[in-house]
Amino acid sequence: MSRACLTGVTALAAVTATVLGQSTPAFASRATTLHVSPDGHGTACSVAHPCSITEAKAKVRTLNSDMRADIVVQLAGGTYRLAVPLTFTRADSGTNGHRVVWQAAPGARPLISGAREATGWTRQDPTKNIWKAKVGTGFDIRQLYVDGVQATRARTQLDRADLTADANGYTFTSGALKYLNSLADPGRTEIDALGSFTNRYSPVAGIRDGVITMKQPAWNNNTFGYDTITNPFRKGPLYIENAYEFLDSAGEWYLNTRTGTLYYKPLPGQDMSTADVEMPRLESLLSVGGTYQAPATHITFSGLQFSHTSWLQPSTGQGYANQQTGAFVHGDWQRPADALDSCQYGCKLFEATRPHWHQMPAAVQVSAASHISFTGNWFTQLGQVALGIGNDANAHATGVGLGADTISVSGNVFSQGAGGGVVVGGVQADAHHPGDSRMTNRNITIGNNVMHDLALDYRDMTAVLVTYATNATVSHNEIYEMPYTGIAIGYGWGTNDPGGSQDYVNRGLYDFQPVHTTPTTLKNLRITGNYLHDVMRTMDDGACIYTLSAAPGTLIDRNYCADNNGHYGIYHDEGSRDYTDSNNVFRNTGDWDHENSNATNNTGALTVTDNWTSNGSISLSDGVRGNRVTGTVVVTDDNWPRGARQVMKNAGVHVR
């Protein structure tokens, strides 16, 4: 079926080139242009004598106090290896309505990298085809990129039936695991656990005599609440990772931080004398942000590639006590003494953590900023969320969160990422009920992006997540090959909406936060014209499009959802209200529209009109819980009506 969405490597290149051609800004003839190259130096920043990125940043600050035209910083092709992340504040901003534009030189694809290359490979074990390189000490990594692809950290799968959990860790109940007693460095290993909608990492302190002792507080935080390591709603795979002894599959790697030796088992056909092996040395690449009084403003990034980061917190005693879509329990929390029995489906002390969850920081961060654009870039080979917009302060290197206004993300490619694609908004109180109106995230546009093969390590994450924002549009993106949901809207499970949720009254949440009487900042969103296919490849309890909490004025329309492994098309989870689902097409899905409702939550007031589906299964009923369901057309044998065909054709990236 012909459609505007294109797939495959060649098509992706064509889409990106087309979008770049459309959206590279046209500048006034009097614009000042600075020229940058990877080996540039000095302060001339001219074609003949280009400067470095840092020198160009310094020169911009001498030119931008009273701008009469745009300032263009043009980056030549090549790899720009950063020693520290780039920071853009009010001092780096455009003035008088003009922009500072950081863009690729014509025909170039500058790579902004946080990595160092690993070279000098020799064969370590000819029988097992394991190679090694001396890379030095004093650093750690969680990802490795080989020839542009994220490699797999050495691991082995465990059978949950072979382990018995307690407050300190695990005890072997099977002789099959005796080999773990002899690991050379058990304190480097971690448990990687997939549940229904969480993907948790808990580091090991030691293994001895059939006992795996876990580091704290990661183990405590990962074993109470919901969908825990010890009692997940769905028992997904359980791995132990990060030991030399686990190097048994091609494409796996291990770093011995004590000897400074990196080991890798090549894929068939890989030549280690020519392979490009990148070790991320930075946890982020770029932050754009000022203060609420003086935000960063009028900065554009165009035609650049952002690559090679590694977020290290999961390797610490905090681990990654994941709760859903990149939010996690952080800190040392009191929990019931019998938590492994009494708090596997929630409990009051777990509710105490909920208002204080942290967010995964992004490789590229924007907060306390306005009129910031990302156009025609590549976000690839990144060790966490690719682009974070107005997240909580704990997820921003500047220490200032939220406050993102008029941010555009257009015509980019997001791929090969350990975490999600774009995360807009925070999860803590100032995100949904800001203490200062300038904190409100508003006027966010995410359109015409290609997003695929994300959430490779943190599989609970989505291509696009908007937690709390006002006036946001997610339109004409193509999203595919995702382990979990494609697009997620809202957060909080309805707990922060006016009057709260009786369900969470019963659970005890409101002993730890107020019952709000005013609406949240989540309103007036439009999710339109997106093409989502081949999502929900690994996880459970998600959908092509997933929602939480009330979002007045929000329209989900003209999206095309296909082949999502039998999961929901649109999933209105706890507290979802005031959404309109209209003129969407659902092909080869489970329930095409689903609500999670019960007697004690506020899910409802959903308007579902004039949709097309190949599956008549829907959990909403017209006239029940304030819902309105009309005009559904169930299609058989792919005999899609003209209106449905038009939606399918127009969904995804617009190529003109």
Side-chain angles (χ1 to χ4, degrees), residues 448-513:
N448 284 296
N449 303 286
V450 176
M451 314 176 89
H452 67 97
D453 293 282
L454 301 171
L456 300 178
D457 286 349
Y458 308 107
R459 285 153 283 194
D460 63 297
M461 301 207 71
T462 63
V464 178
L465 167 64
V466 181
T467 61
Y468 294 103
T470 298
N471 301 332
T473 299
V474 182
S475 66
H476 289 286
N477 303 284
E478 181 175 9
I479 296 170
Y480 62 99
E481 289 300 333
M482 294 291 300
Y484 188 48
T485 290
I487 297 172
I489 303 300
Y491 216 76
W493 290 265
T495 60
N496 303 310
D497 293 324
S501 167
Q502 183 61 45
D503 196 358
Y504 288 84
V505 171
N506 299 343
R507 300 182 192 192
L509 171 63
Y510 298 107
D511 287 354
F512 308 104
Q513 73 164 62

Side-chain angles (χ1 to χ4, degrees), residues 201-212:
Y201 288 86
S202 202
V204 172
I207 304 175
R208 183 176 180 182
D209 299 330
V211 175
I212 304 176

Side-chain angles (χ1 to χ4, degrees), residues 54-326:
T54 54
E55 289 161 341
K57 280 183 83 270
K59 188 151 189 174
V60 166
R61 291 186 173 191
T62 69
L63 300 172
N64 65 342
S65 60
D66 189 20
M67 293 169 61
R68 295 291 182 266
D70 292 337
I71 298 172
V72 178
V73 183
Q74 194 166 123
L75 279 68
T79 300
Y80 296 76
R81 297 190 183 274
L82 303 181
V84 295
L86 298 169
T87 59
F88 294 82
T89 69
R90 181 66 166 222
D92 304 289
S93 300
T95 58
N96 296 335
H98 299 288
R99 297 169 296 169
V100 177
V101 181
W102 294 75
Q103 69 168 29
R109 182 165 165 175
L111 167 58
I112 311 299
S113 172
R116 194 180 79 194
E117 188 176 7
T119 58
W121 290 89
T122 59
R123 201 184 298 268
Q124 159 75 11
D125 186 328
T127 302
K128 296 181 179 179
N129 195 31
I130 296 173
W131 292 66
K132 67 180 179 181
K134 299 298 289 185
V135 297
T137 59
F139 71 98
D140 200 359
I141 59 176
R142 294 185 62 83
Q143 286 79 30
L144 185 75
Y145 303 100
V146 183
D147 293 332
V149 176
Q150 182 176 315
T152 301
R153 204 163 55 149
R155 67 183 185 181
T156 189
Q157 188 167 347
L158 302 175
D159 188 335
R160 294 174 188 267
D162 293 340
L163 299 165
T164 298
D166 60 29
N168 297 310
Y170 288 114
T171 300
F172 305 167
T173 55
S174 169
L177 297 182
K178 285 184 178 179
Y179 71 95
L180 296 177
N181 290 319
S182 60
L183 294 179
D185 198 354
R188 287 279 290 156
T189 64
E190 297 175 15
I191 297 296
D192 170 10
L194 272 74
S196 177
F197 52 84
T198 65
N199 183 187
R200 299 162 177 271
Y201 288 86
S202 202
V204 172
I207 304 175
R208 183 176 180 182
D209 299 330
V211 175
I212 304 176
T213 303
M214 307 297 292
K215 290 181 182 178
Q216 298 290 6
W219 183 245
N220 281 348
N221 291 344
N222 269 308
T223 55
F224 81 140
Y226 299 90
D227 204 36
T228 64
I229 282 183
T230 44
N231 194 15
F233 292 138
R234 178 194 66 113
K235 291 180 171 60
L238 184 74
Y239 300 97
I240 185 167
E241 300 185 352
N242 205 33
Y244 176 83
E245 292 85 347
F246 302 155
L247 277 169
D248 57 3
S249 296
E252 289 187 332
W253 65 274
Y254 171 71
L255 174 64
N256 187 322
T257 55
R258 292 184 296 181
T259 65
T261 308
L262 177 64
Y263 299 93
Y264 179 66
K265 185 175 173 65
L267 293 168
Q270 277 185 328
D271 182 348
M272 297 311 296
S273 67
T274 59
D276 174 26
V277 182
E278 301 288 345
M279 302 179 299
R281 298 296 300 270
L282 297 183
E283 293 195 74
S284 65
L285 295 173
L286 185 151
S287 66
V288 180
T291 65
Y292 305 132
Q293 296 79 14
T297 186
H298 289 88
I299 306 174
T300 293
F301 301 92
S302 182
L304 312 178
Q305 178 174 327
F306 300 100
S307 294
H308 309 143
T309 60
S310 192
W311 178 53
L312 298 179
Q313 183 202 278
S315 299
T316 72
Q318 286 289 334
Y320 181 58
N322 169 231
Q323 302 304 307
Q324 186 170 312
T325 52

Side-chain angles (χ1 to χ4, degrees), residues 249-573:
S249 296
E252 289 187 332
W253 65 274
Y254 171 71
L255 174 64
N256 187 322
T257 55
R258 292 184 296 181
T259 65
T261 308
L262 177 64
Y263 299 93
Y264 179 66
K265 185 175 173 65
L267 293 168
Q270 277 185 328
D271 182 348
M272 297 311 296
S273 67
T274 59
D276 174 26
V277 182
E278 301 288 345
M279 302 179 299
R281 298 296 300 270
L282 297 183
E283 293 195 74
S284 65
L285 295 173
L286 185 151
S287 66
V288 180
T291 65
Y292 305 132
Q293 296 79 14
T297 186
H298 289 88
I299 306 174
T300 293
F301 301 92
S302 182
L304 312 178
Q305 178 174 327
F306 300 100
S307 294
H308 309 143
T309 60
S310 192
W311 178 53
L312 298 179
Q313 183 202 278
S315 299
T316 72
Q318 286 289 334
Y320 181 58
N322 169 231
Q323 302 304 307
Q324 186 170 312
T325 52
F328 56 92
V329 176
H330 185 275
D332 194 352
W333 291 89
Q334 182 184 0
R335 68 183 206 152
D338 64 344
L340 292 182
D341 295 317
S342 67
C343 197
Q344 297 303 292
Y345 296 97
C347 60
K348 187 172 181 178
L349 287 178
F350 174 75
E351 294 304 315
T353 73
R354 194 182 293 269
H356 305 281
W357 292 352
H358 282 210
Q359 288 182 288
M360 182 186 296
V364 178
Q365 306 171 7
V366 180
S367 64
S370 70
H371 297 86
I372 309 298
S373 297
F374 294 90
T375 303
N377 303 287
W378 290 263
F379 295 81
T380 183
Q381 303 166 53
L382 296 169
Q384 70 255 67
V385 175
L387 176 58
I389 299 171
N391 306 142
D392 291 324
N394 59 69
H396 286 280
T398 63
V400 181
L402 309 171
D405 185 356
T406 313
I407 313 297
S408 175
V409 183
S410 175
N412 306 280
V413 174
F414 294 80
S415 67
Q416 280 292 316
V422 181
V423 175
V424 178
V427 301
Q428 294 189 1
D430 277 327
H432 50 78
H433 285 88
D436 183 325
S437 62
R438 293 172 295 185
M439 295 176 172
T440 302
N441 294 310
R442 66 181 85 233
N443 305 321
I444 313 296
T445 302
I446 302 169
N448 284 296
N449 303 286
V450 176
M451 314 176 89
H452 67 97
D453 293 282
L454 301 171
L456 300 178
D457 286 349
Y458 308 107
R459 285 153 283 194
D460 63 297
M461 301 207 71
T462 63
V464 178
L465 167 64
V466 181
T467 61
Y468 294 103
T470 298
N471 301 332
T473 299
V474 182
S475 66
H476 289 286
N477 303 284
E478 181 175 9
I479 296 170
Y480 62 99
E481 289 300 333
M482 294 291 300
Y484 188 48
T485 290
I487 297 172
I489 303 300
Y491 216 76
W493 290 265
T495 60
N496 303 310
D497 293 324
S501 167
Q502 183 61 45
D503 196 358
Y504 288 84
V505 171
N506 299 343
R507 300 182 192 192
L509 171 63
Y510 298 107
D511 287 354
F512 308 104
Q513 73 164 62
V515 176
H516 295 283
T517 59
T518 56
T520 72
T521 57
L522 182 64
K523 61 182 179 180
N524 300 337
L525 275 64
R526 189 168 186 202
I527 315 303
T528 184
N530 300 285
Y531 177 34
L532 306 104
H533 60 99
D534 299 290
V535 300
M536 297 300 302
R537 306 290 282 178
T538 303
M539 307 299 283
D540 199 9
D541 203 36
C544 283
I545 300 173
Y546 172 93
T547 73
L548 281 170
S549 301
T554 293
L555 177 60
I556 300 173
D557 76 308
R558 301 187 180 279
N559 302 284
Y560 176 25
C561 165
D563 304 313
N564 69 348
N565 205 26
H567 291 272
Y568 306 135
I570 297 176
Y571 181 8
H572 293 298
D573 205 352

